[in-house]
Short mmCIF file of all heavy atoms in Angstrom, two decimals:
data_model
loop_
_atom_site.label_atom_id
_atom_site.label_comp_id
_atom_site.label_asym_id
_atom_site.label_seq_id
_atom_site.Cartn_x
_atom_site.Cartn_y
_atom_site.Cartn_z
N LEU A 9 49.57 2.25 15.55
CA LEU A 9 48.86 2.73 14.41
C LEU A 9 47.69 1.73 13.99
O LEU A 9 46.60 2.11 13.64
CB LEU A 9 49.67 2.95 13.18
CG LEU A 9 50.66 4.19 13.37
CD1 LEU A 9 51.55 4.29 12.11
CD2 LEU A 9 49.88 5.46 13.61
N CYS A 10 47.97 0.45 14.18
CA CYS A 10 46.92 -0.52 13.90
C CYS A 10 45.80 -0.41 14.89
O CYS A 10 44.65 -0.56 14.50
CB CYS A 10 47.49 -1.93 13.89
SG CYS A 10 48.56 -2.30 12.54
N ALA A 11 46.16 -0.25 16.17
CA ALA A 11 45.13 -0.18 17.19
C ALA A 11 44.26 1.11 16.95
O ALA A 11 43.09 1.14 17.17
CB ALA A 11 45.83 -0.05 18.55
N LEU A 12 44.91 2.21 16.50
CA LEU A 12 44.21 3.46 16.15
C LEU A 12 43.25 3.24 15.02
O LEU A 12 42.12 3.72 15.01
CB LEU A 12 45.18 4.55 15.85
CG LEU A 12 44.58 5.92 15.51
CD1 LEU A 12 43.87 6.46 16.74
CD2 LEU A 12 45.72 6.87 15.13
N ALA A 13 43.67 2.50 14.01
CA ALA A 13 42.84 2.23 12.84
C ALA A 13 41.60 1.43 13.23
O ALA A 13 40.53 1.66 12.79
CB ALA A 13 43.65 1.57 11.70
N VAL A 14 41.88 0.42 14.10
CA VAL A 14 40.75 -0.50 14.57
C VAL A 14 39.79 0.36 15.37
O VAL A 14 38.60 0.24 15.30
CB VAL A 14 41.30 -1.65 15.29
CG1 VAL A 14 40.21 -2.42 15.99
CG2 VAL A 14 42.08 -2.59 14.35
N SER A 15 40.29 1.21 16.25
CA SER A 15 39.44 1.97 17.12
C SER A 15 38.64 3.01 16.34
O SER A 15 37.56 3.38 16.68
CB SER A 15 40.24 2.68 18.20
OG SER A 15 41.12 3.66 17.65
N ASP A 16 39.08 3.47 15.15
CA ASP A 16 38.34 4.35 14.28
C ASP A 16 37.27 3.60 13.53
O ASP A 16 36.21 4.16 13.23
CB ASP A 16 39.26 5.00 13.28
CG ASP A 16 40.13 6.09 13.85
OD1 ASP A 16 39.80 6.57 15.00
OD2 ASP A 16 41.03 6.62 13.22
N GLU A 17 37.46 2.27 13.30
CA GLU A 17 36.47 1.53 12.54
C GLU A 17 35.29 1.12 13.37
O GLU A 17 34.17 0.98 12.86
CB GLU A 17 37.18 0.29 11.93
CG GLU A 17 38.09 0.60 10.76
CD GLU A 17 37.43 1.25 9.60
OE1 GLU A 17 36.27 0.77 9.25
OE2 GLU A 17 37.90 2.20 9.03
N ARG A 18 35.46 0.91 14.66
CA ARG A 18 34.43 0.43 15.54
C ARG A 18 33.24 1.36 15.54
O ARG A 18 32.08 0.95 15.35
CB ARG A 18 34.94 0.17 16.92
CG ARG A 18 35.76 -1.07 16.90
CD ARG A 18 36.19 -1.43 18.34
NE ARG A 18 37.06 -2.53 18.37
CZ ARG A 18 37.98 -2.81 19.29
NH1 ARG A 18 38.13 -1.95 20.29
NH2 ARG A 18 38.74 -3.89 19.18
N PRO A 19 33.39 2.65 15.76
CA PRO A 19 32.27 3.63 15.71
C PRO A 19 31.57 3.60 14.33
O PRO A 19 30.33 3.73 14.27
CB PRO A 19 32.82 4.96 16.09
CG PRO A 19 34.08 4.62 16.77
CD PRO A 19 34.64 3.41 16.14
N LYS A 20 32.39 3.55 13.28
CA LYS A 20 31.79 3.58 11.93
C LYS A 20 30.93 2.36 11.74
O LYS A 20 29.84 2.38 11.17
CB LYS A 20 32.86 3.65 10.87
CG LYS A 20 33.58 4.99 10.87
CD LYS A 20 34.75 4.96 9.89
CE LYS A 20 35.52 6.26 9.93
NZ LYS A 20 36.72 6.24 9.15
N ASP A 21 31.41 1.16 12.16
CA ASP A 21 30.67 -0.03 12.06
C ASP A 21 29.39 0.04 12.85
O ASP A 21 28.31 -0.43 12.40
CB ASP A 21 31.51 -1.22 12.46
CG ASP A 21 32.62 -1.59 11.58
OD1 ASP A 21 32.58 -1.10 10.37
OD2 ASP A 21 33.56 -2.30 11.97
N MET A 22 29.44 0.58 14.06
CA MET A 22 28.31 0.71 14.86
C MET A 22 27.20 1.64 14.24
O MET A 22 26.05 1.34 14.21
CB MET A 22 28.59 1.21 16.28
CG MET A 22 27.47 1.19 17.25
SD MET A 22 27.87 1.71 18.90
CE MET A 22 28.28 3.39 18.65
N LEU A 23 27.67 2.76 13.66
CA LEU A 23 26.76 3.67 13.03
C LEU A 23 26.21 3.06 11.78
O LEU A 23 24.91 3.25 11.48
CB LEU A 23 27.48 4.94 12.67
CG LEU A 23 27.70 5.92 13.82
CD1 LEU A 23 28.58 7.10 13.39
CD2 LEU A 23 26.43 6.39 14.41
N ASP A 24 26.92 2.27 11.01
CA ASP A 24 26.42 1.61 9.84
C ASP A 24 25.34 0.60 10.22
O ASP A 24 24.33 0.51 9.62
CB ASP A 24 27.51 0.87 9.12
CG ASP A 24 28.39 1.87 8.32
OD1 ASP A 24 27.95 3.05 8.15
OD2 ASP A 24 29.50 1.51 7.91
N THR A 25 25.58 -0.08 11.40
CA THR A 25 24.57 -1.09 11.87
C THR A 25 23.28 -0.35 12.33
O THR A 25 22.16 -0.80 11.96
CB THR A 25 25.12 -1.86 13.02
OG1 THR A 25 26.33 -2.48 12.63
CG2 THR A 25 24.13 -2.89 13.61
N VAL A 26 23.45 0.75 12.99
CA VAL A 26 22.21 1.51 13.44
C VAL A 26 21.45 1.99 12.24
O VAL A 26 20.29 1.97 12.21
CB VAL A 26 22.62 2.66 14.36
CG1 VAL A 26 21.48 3.62 14.62
CG2 VAL A 26 23.21 2.09 15.69
N LEU A 27 22.20 2.54 11.23
CA LEU A 27 21.54 3.05 10.03
C LEU A 27 20.84 1.92 9.26
O LEU A 27 19.73 2.06 8.73
CB LEU A 27 22.51 3.69 9.06
CG LEU A 27 22.91 5.12 9.38
CD1 LEU A 27 24.00 5.66 8.47
CD2 LEU A 27 21.73 6.02 9.32
N GLY A 28 21.40 0.74 9.23
CA GLY A 28 20.85 -0.38 8.55
C GLY A 28 19.57 -0.91 9.28
O GLY A 28 18.70 -1.40 8.65
N LEU A 29 19.53 -0.72 10.61
CA LEU A 29 18.37 -1.20 11.37
C LEU A 29 17.27 -0.16 11.45
O LEU A 29 16.18 -0.49 11.85
CB LEU A 29 18.82 -1.54 12.80
CG LEU A 29 19.75 -2.76 12.88
CD1 LEU A 29 20.21 -2.96 14.33
CD2 LEU A 29 19.13 -4.04 12.36
N GLN A 30 17.60 1.03 11.13
CA GLN A 30 16.61 2.12 11.20
C GLN A 30 15.38 1.81 10.34
O GLN A 30 15.48 1.44 9.19
CB GLN A 30 17.34 3.36 10.69
CG GLN A 30 16.40 4.53 10.22
CD GLN A 30 17.25 5.64 9.72
OE1 GLN A 30 18.37 5.99 10.28
NE2 GLN A 30 16.86 6.24 8.67
N ALA A 31 14.23 1.98 10.91
CA ALA A 31 12.96 1.75 10.16
C ALA A 31 12.75 2.80 9.18
O ALA A 31 13.00 4.00 9.45
CB ALA A 31 11.85 1.64 11.16
N ALA A 32 12.29 2.53 8.03
CA ALA A 32 12.00 3.47 6.98
C ALA A 32 10.56 3.90 7.15
O ALA A 32 9.66 3.34 6.56
CB ALA A 32 12.26 2.84 5.57
N VAL A 33 10.34 4.90 7.97
CA VAL A 33 9.00 5.44 8.19
C VAL A 33 8.81 6.59 7.26
O VAL A 33 9.60 7.48 7.16
CB VAL A 33 8.94 5.93 9.72
CG1 VAL A 33 7.56 6.54 9.96
CG2 VAL A 33 9.19 4.81 10.66
N VAL A 34 7.67 6.53 6.62
CA VAL A 34 7.29 7.53 5.64
C VAL A 34 6.09 8.30 6.19
O VAL A 34 5.06 7.77 6.47
CB VAL A 34 6.94 6.92 4.26
CG1 VAL A 34 6.62 7.99 3.28
CG2 VAL A 34 8.16 6.18 3.72
N THR A 35 6.28 9.58 6.37
CA THR A 35 5.17 10.47 6.80
C THR A 35 4.39 10.88 5.60
O THR A 35 4.92 10.82 4.45
CB THR A 35 5.62 11.62 7.62
OG1 THR A 35 6.50 12.44 6.82
CG2 THR A 35 6.35 11.22 8.91
N GLU A 36 3.21 11.36 5.78
CA GLU A 36 2.36 11.81 4.68
C GLU A 36 3.04 13.00 3.96
O GLU A 36 3.49 13.95 4.56
CB GLU A 36 1.00 12.22 5.20
CG GLU A 36 0.04 12.44 4.09
CD GLU A 36 -1.43 12.69 4.73
OE1 GLU A 36 -1.74 12.12 5.71
OE2 GLU A 36 -2.15 13.49 4.08
N GLY A 37 3.11 12.87 2.66
CA GLY A 37 3.73 13.91 1.84
C GLY A 37 5.24 13.73 1.62
O GLY A 37 5.80 14.37 0.81
N ALA A 38 5.82 12.90 2.40
CA ALA A 38 7.29 12.63 2.26
C ALA A 38 7.59 11.56 1.20
O ALA A 38 6.70 10.78 0.88
CB ALA A 38 7.92 12.22 3.62
N LYS A 39 8.76 11.60 0.70
CA LYS A 39 9.09 10.61 -0.32
C LYS A 39 9.51 9.30 0.29
O LYS A 39 10.04 9.29 1.36
CB LYS A 39 10.31 11.10 -1.15
CG LYS A 39 10.07 12.37 -1.96
CD LYS A 39 11.23 12.75 -2.68
CE LYS A 39 10.91 13.99 -3.50
NZ LYS A 39 12.12 14.49 -4.19
N THR A 40 9.11 8.21 -0.33
CA THR A 40 9.50 6.90 0.11
C THR A 40 10.96 6.66 -0.10
O THR A 40 11.57 7.33 -0.95
CB THR A 40 8.64 5.79 -0.61
OG1 THR A 40 9.04 5.84 -2.00
CG2 THR A 40 7.15 5.99 -0.44
N PRO A 41 11.58 5.65 0.59
CA PRO A 41 12.98 5.37 0.25
C PRO A 41 13.15 5.00 -1.18
O PRO A 41 14.28 5.36 -1.79
CB PRO A 41 13.27 4.22 1.17
CG PRO A 41 12.30 4.34 2.30
CD PRO A 41 11.05 4.89 1.70
N GLU A 42 12.25 4.34 -1.82
CA GLU A 42 12.40 3.93 -3.20
C GLU A 42 12.42 5.18 -4.13
O GLU A 42 13.21 5.25 -5.04
CB GLU A 42 11.25 3.01 -3.64
CG GLU A 42 11.30 1.64 -3.08
CD GLU A 42 10.79 1.52 -1.62
OE1 GLU A 42 10.20 2.52 -1.11
OE2 GLU A 42 11.02 0.49 -0.98
N GLU A 43 11.61 6.15 -3.75
CA GLU A 43 11.58 7.37 -4.57
C GLU A 43 12.93 8.19 -4.47
O GLU A 43 13.46 8.67 -5.44
CB GLU A 43 10.40 8.29 -4.21
CG GLU A 43 9.00 7.71 -4.63
CD GLU A 43 7.92 8.56 -3.98
OE1 GLU A 43 8.03 9.16 -2.97
OE2 GLU A 43 6.86 8.52 -4.60
N VAL A 44 13.39 8.22 -3.18
CA VAL A 44 14.64 8.88 -2.97
C VAL A 44 15.81 8.23 -3.69
O VAL A 44 16.59 8.90 -4.33
CB VAL A 44 14.98 8.96 -1.46
CG1 VAL A 44 16.36 9.47 -1.10
CG2 VAL A 44 13.89 9.76 -0.63
N VAL A 45 15.88 6.88 -3.60
CA VAL A 45 16.95 6.21 -4.25
C VAL A 45 16.88 6.28 -5.76
O VAL A 45 17.86 6.43 -6.51
CB VAL A 45 16.99 4.73 -3.76
CG1 VAL A 45 18.01 3.89 -4.60
CG2 VAL A 45 17.38 4.68 -2.34
N LEU A 46 15.64 6.22 -6.24
CA LEU A 46 15.41 6.31 -7.71
C LEU A 46 15.85 7.71 -8.22
O LEU A 46 16.57 7.82 -9.25
CB LEU A 46 13.96 6.13 -8.11
CG LEU A 46 13.59 6.05 -9.56
CD1 LEU A 46 14.36 4.90 -10.26
CD2 LEU A 46 12.13 5.85 -9.76
N GLU A 47 15.53 8.76 -7.57
CA GLU A 47 15.92 10.10 -7.95
C GLU A 47 17.43 10.24 -7.84
O GLU A 47 18.10 10.81 -8.72
CB GLU A 47 15.28 11.21 -7.05
CG GLU A 47 13.74 11.40 -7.40
CD GLU A 47 13.12 12.37 -6.48
OE1 GLU A 47 13.87 13.06 -5.65
OE2 GLU A 47 11.92 12.49 -6.51
N THR A 48 18.04 9.72 -6.72
CA THR A 48 19.47 9.84 -6.60
C THR A 48 20.23 9.02 -7.63
O THR A 48 21.19 9.46 -8.20
CB THR A 48 19.87 9.32 -5.18
OG1 THR A 48 19.13 10.08 -4.20
CG2 THR A 48 21.33 9.51 -4.92
N SER A 49 19.70 7.83 -7.93
CA SER A 49 20.37 6.99 -8.92
C SER A 49 20.28 7.66 -10.29
O SER A 49 21.31 7.62 -11.07
CB SER A 49 19.64 5.63 -8.99
OG SER A 49 19.76 4.94 -7.80
N GLN A 50 19.18 8.20 -10.64
CA GLN A 50 19.05 8.91 -11.94
C GLN A 50 19.99 10.10 -12.02
O GLN A 50 20.58 10.41 -13.08
CB GLN A 50 17.62 9.22 -12.22
CG GLN A 50 16.76 8.03 -12.48
CD GLN A 50 15.29 8.28 -12.62
OE1 GLN A 50 14.79 9.32 -12.10
NE2 GLN A 50 14.58 7.36 -13.20
N ALA A 51 20.08 10.88 -10.93
CA ALA A 51 20.98 12.03 -10.86
C ALA A 51 22.41 11.56 -11.01
O ALA A 51 23.22 12.20 -11.71
CB ALA A 51 20.82 12.80 -9.55
N LEU A 52 22.85 10.45 -10.36
CA LEU A 52 24.16 9.92 -10.51
C LEU A 52 24.45 9.46 -11.93
O LEU A 52 25.55 9.63 -12.43
CB LEU A 52 24.43 8.83 -9.46
CG LEU A 52 24.49 9.31 -8.05
CD1 LEU A 52 24.54 8.09 -7.06
CD2 LEU A 52 25.72 10.15 -7.79
N LEU A 53 23.41 8.81 -12.51
CA LEU A 53 23.64 8.34 -13.90
C LEU A 53 23.88 9.48 -14.83
O LEU A 53 24.64 9.36 -15.83
CB LEU A 53 22.41 7.49 -14.32
CG LEU A 53 22.37 5.96 -13.87
CD1 LEU A 53 21.01 5.45 -14.13
CD2 LEU A 53 23.44 5.25 -14.57
N ASP A 54 23.24 10.62 -14.64
CA ASP A 54 23.39 11.79 -15.50
C ASP A 54 24.77 12.39 -15.36
O ASP A 54 25.26 13.01 -16.23
CB ASP A 54 22.33 12.82 -15.16
CG ASP A 54 20.95 12.38 -15.53
OD1 ASP A 54 20.78 11.48 -16.38
OD2 ASP A 54 19.99 13.02 -14.98
N GLN A 55 25.43 12.17 -14.23
CA GLN A 55 26.75 12.67 -13.94
C GLN A 55 27.89 11.80 -14.34
O GLN A 55 29.08 12.23 -14.27
CB GLN A 55 26.90 13.02 -12.48
CG GLN A 55 25.96 14.14 -12.01
CD GLN A 55 26.07 14.37 -10.47
OE1 GLN A 55 26.97 13.92 -9.85
NE2 GLN A 55 25.14 15.14 -9.99
N ILE A 56 27.60 10.56 -14.70
CA ILE A 56 28.75 9.59 -15.07
C ILE A 56 29.36 10.05 -16.38
O ILE A 56 28.65 10.17 -17.36
CB ILE A 56 28.14 8.17 -15.12
CG1 ILE A 56 27.75 7.69 -13.74
CG2 ILE A 56 29.26 7.22 -15.65
CD1 ILE A 56 27.13 6.36 -13.67
N PRO A 57 30.63 10.30 -16.37
CA PRO A 57 31.31 10.67 -17.68
C PRO A 57 31.45 9.51 -18.56
O PRO A 57 31.26 8.33 -18.21
CB PRO A 57 32.72 11.12 -17.13
CG PRO A 57 32.92 10.36 -15.91
CD PRO A 57 31.60 10.23 -15.26
N GLY A 58 31.76 9.81 -19.80
CA GLY A 58 31.93 8.81 -20.82
C GLY A 58 33.25 8.04 -20.63
O GLY A 58 34.09 8.37 -19.84
N LYS A 59 33.34 6.95 -21.32
CA LYS A 59 34.56 6.08 -21.19
C LYS A 59 35.81 6.78 -21.72
O LYS A 59 35.74 7.56 -22.72
CB LYS A 59 34.33 4.86 -22.13
CG LYS A 59 35.39 3.88 -22.05
CD LYS A 59 35.11 2.69 -22.87
CE LYS A 59 36.24 1.68 -22.88
NZ LYS A 59 35.88 0.47 -23.71
N ILE A 60 36.90 6.62 -21.02
CA ILE A 60 38.18 7.24 -21.42
C ILE A 60 38.79 6.37 -22.54
O ILE A 60 39.06 5.22 -22.26
CB ILE A 60 39.14 7.35 -20.21
CG1 ILE A 60 38.54 8.28 -19.12
CG2 ILE A 60 40.47 7.92 -20.65
CD1 ILE A 60 39.30 8.35 -17.89
N VAL A 61 39.04 6.96 -23.64
CA VAL A 61 39.65 6.24 -24.77
C VAL A 61 41.10 6.65 -24.86
O VAL A 61 41.42 7.87 -24.82
CB VAL A 61 38.93 6.54 -26.11
CG1 VAL A 61 39.53 5.80 -27.21
CG2 VAL A 61 37.47 6.18 -25.92
N SER A 62 42.01 5.74 -24.93
CA SER A 62 43.44 6.06 -25.06
C SER A 62 43.92 5.95 -26.46
O SER A 62 43.44 5.16 -27.28
CB SER A 62 44.26 5.06 -24.16
OG SER A 62 44.16 3.78 -24.72
N LYS A 63 44.88 6.84 -26.74
CA LYS A 63 45.51 6.80 -28.05
C LYS A 63 46.92 6.23 -27.79
O LYS A 63 47.89 6.91 -27.65
CB LYS A 63 45.64 8.21 -28.59
CG LYS A 63 44.35 8.84 -28.89
CD LYS A 63 44.45 10.17 -29.43
CE LYS A 63 43.15 10.90 -29.68
NZ LYS A 63 43.29 12.27 -30.13
N LYS A 64 47.00 4.91 -27.72
CA LYS A 64 48.21 4.17 -27.35
C LYS A 64 49.08 4.17 -28.56
O LYS A 64 48.76 3.80 -29.71
CB LYS A 64 47.89 2.75 -26.92
CG LYS A 64 49.13 2.02 -26.48
CD LYS A 64 48.80 0.64 -26.03
CE LYS A 64 50.13 -0.04 -25.62
NZ LYS A 64 49.94 -1.46 -25.40
N SER A 65 50.34 4.59 -28.31
CA SER A 65 51.39 4.49 -29.40
C SER A 65 52.38 3.51 -28.96
O SER A 65 52.74 3.37 -27.77
CB SER A 65 51.99 5.90 -29.59
OG SER A 65 52.69 6.29 -28.44
N GLN A 66 52.90 2.78 -29.92
CA GLN A 66 53.87 1.73 -29.61
C GLN A 66 55.24 2.35 -29.34
O GLN A 66 56.10 1.65 -28.75
CB GLN A 66 53.95 0.78 -30.78
CG GLN A 66 52.75 -0.02 -31.11
CD GLN A 66 52.32 -0.92 -29.96
OE1 GLN A 66 53.11 -1.43 -29.21
NE2 GLN A 66 51.04 -1.15 -29.79
#
Side-chain angles (χ1 to χ4, degrees):
L9 291 178
C10 290
L12 182 63
V14 169
S15 68
D16 282 348
E17 288 297 317
R18 286 183 185 155
K20 290 177 189 173
D21 291 341
M22 186 175 70
L23 285 174
D24 287 342
T25 302
V26 169
L27 279 174
L29 295 175
Q30 159 184 321
V33 178
V34 178
T35 59
E36 190 172 327
K39 294 180 182 178
T40 64
E42 289 80 10
E43 291 172 334
V44 171
V45 171
L46 186 60
E47 287 178 10
T48 304
S49 297
Q50 289 171 343
L52 288 171
L53 278 169
D54 291 340
Q55 295 178 13
I56 294 176
K59 183 179 179 180
I60 299 174
V61 180
S62 66
K63 297 178 182 177
K64 184 179 178 189
S65 66
Q66 297 296 332

